[in-house]
Amino acid sequence: MTTAQDAPVLLLDVVDRIGTITLNRPKSRNALSSELLRQLRVGVAELDDRADVDVVILTGSDPAFSAGLDLKELGSTGGNLGAANGESRATGDEPNYPWAPTTKPVIGAINGVAITGGFELALQCDFLVASERAAFGDTHTRVGILPGWGLSVLLPQAIGFRRALEMSMTGNFMLAEEALHFGLVNRVVPHGELITFTRKLATDIVGNNQDGLRELLASYRAIHRLSVGDGERHEARVGRTWSRRTYDPAAVEARRIAIMERGRTQV
């Protein structure tokens, strides 16, 4: 019998040419451990390589999408910070991403809170469908680390510079309907209908000519990278320098406790 401790941290499912990836650490609000980050990269690459998959959905096991980097690990070994920074894959000012570029669309089905690193995962998806329970927050400044997956470029592009700066400077949360209003998400649906609705959009994608669709997707992404590339390289350079200079596990652990108390008043 599989116990909760033995449960896989990442679930993969393929049905009707739709691959679904589920972050599966629900008791930790799908916090990003080094193992989960490793399996996420492997899982995305596997689905992108599979001939029976045309579109990928990324979601989380309730109640959260992802609470970001696992602060318990960050406050002890810090292994997940190295994994998030991609130190074995990217150096200098080369942009870093949570998974290798795909040839297929990735839809984020945001079922709950998406915080800091979890928020960055959402921003890396091609577009987002949100549950009514979704909420988005950038708490990098509360933890004392800097974004490494393009948040400081992708968030202002999605909702505007001043509103993005407010989110990052305060650490306050944006709820689902507000996220829809400002263009962060494409749709907001009842929580129980999230996966069904997202799969319907995915089915519409599956029904198109895949060669043409992937060529168009590649064109969209190439144009997008032309507009954000310099910013992503700057973020990568600053983030790696900051981590090397200031990272202190004991300080992170103290901040983790403070964040838990403060977070209870917001979400």
Side-chain angles (χ1 to χ4, degrees), residues 223-252:
I223 293 167
H224 172 71
R225 290 300 170 200
L226 285 174
S227 67
V228 305
D230 287 344
E232 289 181 326
R233 282 186 286 274
H234 176 78
E235 180 188 272
R237 180 172 60 251
V238 171
R240 291 188 182 101
T241 300
W242 174 262
S243 295
R244 287 193 296 268
R245 192 174 77 235
T246 68
Y247 174 64
D248 177 1
V252 170

Short mmCIF file of all heavy atoms in Angstrom, two decimals, residues 223-252:
data_model
loop_
_atom_site.label_atom_id
_atom_site.label_comp_id
_atom_site.label_asym_id
_atom_site.label_seq_id
_atom_site.Cartn_x
_atom_site.Cartn_y
_atom_site.Cartn_z
N ILE A 223 9.13 35.88 -31.16
CA ILE A 223 8.87 37.32 -31.08
C ILE A 223 8.82 37.78 -29.63
O ILE A 223 9.36 38.82 -29.24
CB ILE A 223 7.56 37.66 -31.81
CG1 ILE A 223 7.73 37.41 -33.31
CG2 ILE A 223 7.14 39.10 -31.55
CD1 ILE A 223 6.43 37.41 -34.09
N HIS A 224 8.19 36.96 -28.78
CA HIS A 224 8.11 37.25 -27.36
C HIS A 224 9.51 37.33 -26.75
O HIS A 224 9.82 38.27 -26.00
CB HIS A 224 7.29 36.16 -26.68
CG HIS A 224 7.29 36.22 -25.19
ND1 HIS A 224 6.63 37.20 -24.48
CD2 HIS A 224 7.87 35.42 -24.26
CE1 HIS A 224 6.80 37.00 -23.19
NE2 HIS A 224 7.55 35.93 -23.03
N ARG A 225 10.37 36.37 -27.07
CA ARG A 225 11.72 36.37 -26.51
C ARG A 225 12.53 37.56 -26.99
O ARG A 225 13.39 38.08 -26.27
CB ARG A 225 12.44 35.06 -26.85
CG ARG A 225 11.88 33.84 -26.14
CD ARG A 225 11.96 33.98 -24.63
NE ARG A 225 11.22 32.92 -23.95
CZ ARG A 225 10.80 32.99 -22.70
NH1 ARG A 225 11.03 34.07 -22.00
NH2 ARG A 225 10.13 32.01 -22.16
N LEU A 226 12.28 38.01 -28.22
CA LEU A 226 12.96 39.22 -28.69
C LEU A 226 12.64 40.42 -27.81
O LEU A 226 13.48 41.28 -27.56
CB LEU A 226 12.58 39.51 -30.15
CG LEU A 226 13.19 38.62 -31.22
CD1 LEU A 226 12.59 38.95 -32.58
CD2 LEU A 226 14.72 38.78 -31.26
N SER A 227 11.40 40.46 -27.32
CA SER A 227 10.97 41.61 -26.53
C SER A 227 11.37 41.50 -25.06
O SER A 227 11.50 42.52 -24.38
CB SER A 227 9.45 41.79 -26.63
OG SER A 227 8.77 40.71 -26.02
N VAL A 228 11.60 40.28 -24.55
CA VAL A 228 11.89 40.13 -23.12
C VAL A 228 13.30 39.62 -22.85
O VAL A 228 13.73 39.60 -21.69
CB VAL A 228 10.88 39.17 -22.45
CG1 VAL A 228 9.46 39.64 -22.68
CG2 VAL A 228 11.06 37.72 -22.91
N GLY A 229 14.03 39.22 -23.87
CA GLY A 229 15.31 38.55 -23.67
C GLY A 229 16.32 39.33 -22.85
O GLY A 229 16.95 38.79 -21.94
N ASP A 230 16.50 40.62 -23.15
CA ASP A 230 17.47 41.42 -22.41
C ASP A 230 17.10 41.50 -20.93
O ASP A 230 17.96 41.42 -20.06
CB ASP A 230 17.59 42.82 -23.00
CG ASP A 230 18.33 42.85 -24.32
OD1 ASP A 230 19.00 41.84 -24.63
OD2 ASP A 230 18.24 43.85 -25.04
N GLY A 231 15.80 41.66 -20.67
CA GLY A 231 15.35 41.73 -19.29
C GLY A 231 15.59 40.42 -18.55
O GLY A 231 15.99 40.41 -17.38
N GLU A 232 15.33 39.31 -19.22
CA GLU A 232 15.55 38.00 -18.59
C GLU A 232 17.03 37.77 -18.30
O GLU A 232 17.38 37.23 -17.25
CB GLU A 232 15.00 36.89 -19.48
CG GLU A 232 13.48 36.86 -19.54
CD GLU A 232 12.97 35.75 -20.42
OE1 GLU A 232 13.61 35.43 -21.44
OE2 GLU A 232 11.91 35.20 -20.10
N ARG A 233 17.89 38.19 -19.22
CA ARG A 233 19.33 38.03 -18.97
C ARG A 233 19.77 38.89 -17.79
O ARG A 233 20.58 38.46 -16.96
CB ARG A 233 20.12 38.39 -20.23
CG ARG A 233 20.10 37.28 -21.28
CD ARG A 233 21.01 37.60 -22.44
NE ARG A 233 20.45 38.63 -23.29
CZ ARG A 233 19.61 38.39 -24.29
NH1 ARG A 233 19.23 37.16 -24.56
NH2 ARG A 233 19.14 39.38 -25.02
N HIS A 234 19.22 40.11 -17.69
CA HIS A 234 19.56 40.97 -16.56
C HIS A 234 19.08 40.34 -15.25
O HIS A 234 19.84 40.31 -14.26
CB HIS A 234 18.92 42.34 -16.75
CG HIS A 234 19.14 43.26 -15.58
ND1 HIS A 234 20.33 43.92 -15.38
CD2 HIS A 234 18.34 43.61 -14.55
CE1 HIS A 234 20.26 44.65 -14.28
NE2 HIS A 234 19.05 44.48 -13.76
N GLU A 235 17.85 39.85 -15.22
CA GLU A 235 17.33 39.21 -14.00
C GLU A 235 18.20 38.02 -13.61
O GLU A 235 18.51 37.84 -12.42
CB GLU A 235 15.89 38.76 -14.20
CG GLU A 235 15.30 38.10 -12.96
CD GLU A 235 13.95 37.47 -13.20
OE1 GLU A 235 12.95 38.19 -13.06
OE2 GLU A 235 13.91 36.27 -13.52
N ALA A 236 18.59 37.19 -14.57
CA ALA A 236 19.41 36.02 -14.28
C ALA A 236 20.74 36.43 -13.67
O ALA A 236 21.20 35.84 -12.68
CB ALA A 236 19.64 35.21 -15.56
N ARG A 237 21.37 37.45 -14.23
CA ARG A 237 22.68 37.90 -13.72
C ARG A 237 22.56 38.45 -12.30
O ARG A 237 23.32 38.08 -11.40
CB ARG A 237 23.25 38.97 -14.66
CG ARG A 237 24.61 39.50 -14.23
CD ARG A 237 25.21 40.40 -15.30
NE ARG A 237 24.38 41.55 -15.58
CZ ARG A 237 23.67 41.74 -16.70
NH1 ARG A 237 23.69 40.81 -17.65
NH2 ARG A 237 22.96 42.83 -16.87
N VAL A 238 21.55 39.30 -12.07
CA VAL A 238 21.36 39.89 -10.75
C VAL A 238 20.99 38.84 -9.72
O VAL A 238 21.51 38.83 -8.59
CB VAL A 238 20.28 40.99 -10.82
CG1 VAL A 238 19.90 41.47 -9.42
CG2 VAL A 238 20.78 42.17 -11.66
N GLY A 239 20.08 37.92 -10.10
CA GLY A 239 19.64 36.91 -9.17
C GLY A 239 20.76 35.98 -8.73
O GLY A 239 20.87 35.65 -7.55
N ARG A 240 21.61 35.54 -9.67
CA ARG A 240 22.70 34.65 -9.30
C ARG A 240 23.72 35.37 -8.42
O ARG A 240 24.24 34.81 -7.45
CB ARG A 240 23.37 34.10 -10.55
CG ARG A 240 22.48 33.12 -11.32
CD ARG A 240 23.23 32.44 -12.45
NE ARG A 240 22.31 31.56 -13.16
CZ ARG A 240 21.73 31.86 -14.33
NH1 ARG A 240 21.98 33.01 -14.92
NH2 ARG A 240 20.89 31.02 -14.90
N THR A 241 24.01 36.63 -8.73
CA THR A 241 24.95 37.40 -7.91
C THR A 241 24.40 37.59 -6.50
O THR A 241 25.11 37.41 -5.51
CB THR A 241 25.21 38.77 -8.56
OG1 THR A 241 25.76 38.57 -9.86
CG2 THR A 241 26.18 39.58 -7.72
N TRP A 242 23.11 37.90 -6.40
CA TRP A 242 22.48 38.10 -5.09
C TRP A 242 22.51 36.82 -4.26
O TRP A 242 22.83 36.84 -3.08
CB TRP A 242 21.04 38.57 -5.30
CG TRP A 242 20.24 38.68 -4.02
CD1 TRP A 242 19.37 37.76 -3.52
CD2 TRP A 242 20.25 39.77 -3.10
NE1 TRP A 242 18.84 38.20 -2.34
CE2 TRP A 242 19.36 39.44 -2.05
CE3 TRP A 242 20.92 40.99 -3.05
CZ2 TRP A 242 19.11 40.28 -0.98
CZ3 TRP A 242 20.67 41.83 -1.97
CH2 TRP A 242 19.79 41.47 -0.96
N SER A 243 22.20 35.69 -4.88
CA SER A 243 22.19 34.42 -4.16
C SER A 243 23.57 34.08 -3.62
O SER A 243 23.72 33.65 -2.47
CB SER A 243 21.69 33.30 -5.05
OG SER A 243 20.34 33.49 -5.40
N ARG A 244 24.59 34.25 -4.44
CA ARG A 244 25.95 33.94 -3.99
C ARG A 244 26.38 34.85 -2.85
O ARG A 244 27.11 34.43 -1.94
CB ARG A 244 26.93 34.06 -5.16
CG ARG A 244 26.84 32.93 -6.19
CD ARG A 244 28.03 32.95 -7.13
NE ARG A 244 28.07 34.15 -7.93
CZ ARG A 244 27.53 34.26 -9.14
NH1 ARG A 244 26.89 33.21 -9.67
NH2 ARG A 244 27.61 35.38 -9.82
N ARG A 245 25.95 36.10 -2.89
CA ARG A 245 26.41 37.09 -1.92
C ARG A 245 25.65 37.06 -0.60
O ARG A 245 26.22 37.33 0.47
CB ARG A 245 26.31 38.49 -2.53
CG ARG A 245 27.02 39.57 -1.73
CD ARG A 245 27.01 40.90 -2.46
NE ARG A 245 25.72 41.58 -2.35
CZ ARG A 245 24.99 42.00 -3.37
NH1 ARG A 245 25.41 41.80 -4.61
NH2 ARG A 245 23.84 42.61 -3.18
N THR A 246 24.36 36.73 -0.63
CA THR A 246 23.53 36.96 0.55
C THR A 246 22.84 35.73 1.12
O THR A 246 22.28 35.81 2.21
CB THR A 246 22.44 38.00 0.23
OG1 THR A 246 21.50 37.42 -0.70
CG2 THR A 246 23.04 39.26 -0.35
N TYR A 247 22.84 34.59 0.42
CA TYR A 247 22.02 33.47 0.87
C TYR A 247 22.49 32.95 2.23
O TYR A 247 23.66 32.63 2.42
CB TYR A 247 22.05 32.33 -0.16
CG TYR A 247 21.35 31.09 0.33
CD1 TYR A 247 19.98 31.11 0.58
CD2 TYR A 247 22.06 29.92 0.57
CE1 TYR A 247 19.33 29.99 1.05
CE2 TYR A 247 21.41 28.79 1.05
CZ TYR A 247 20.05 28.83 1.28
OH TYR A 247 19.41 27.73 1.77
N ASP A 248 21.57 32.88 3.17
CA ASP A 248 21.85 32.43 4.54
C ASP A 248 20.69 31.54 4.98
O ASP A 248 19.59 32.04 5.23
CB ASP A 248 21.99 33.63 5.46
CG ASP A 248 22.22 33.21 6.91
OD1 ASP A 248 22.29 32.00 7.20
OD2 ASP A 248 22.33 34.12 7.77
N PRO A 249 20.89 30.22 5.09
CA PRO A 249 19.80 29.32 5.46
C PRO A 249 19.11 29.70 6.77
O PRO A 249 17.89 29.61 6.88
CB PRO A 249 20.48 27.95 5.56
CG PRO A 249 21.68 28.06 4.68
CD PRO A 249 22.14 29.48 4.80
N ALA A 250 19.86 30.14 7.77
CA ALA A 250 19.26 30.48 9.06
C ALA A 250 18.32 31.67 8.93
O ALA A 250 17.23 31.70 9.52
CB ALA A 250 20.35 30.79 10.08
N ALA A 251 18.73 32.65 8.14
CA ALA A 251 17.88 33.82 7.93
C ALA A 251 16.61 33.43 7.17
O ALA A 251 15.51 33.93 7.47
CB ALA A 251 18.64 34.90 7.18
N VAL A 252 16.75 32.54 6.20
CA VAL A 252 15.57 32.08 5.45
C VAL A 252 14.60 31.36 6.36
O VAL A 252 13.38 31.54 6.27
CB VAL A 252 16.01 31.17 4.28
CG1 VAL A 252 14.79 30.49 3.64
CG2 VAL A 252 16.76 31.97 3.23
#
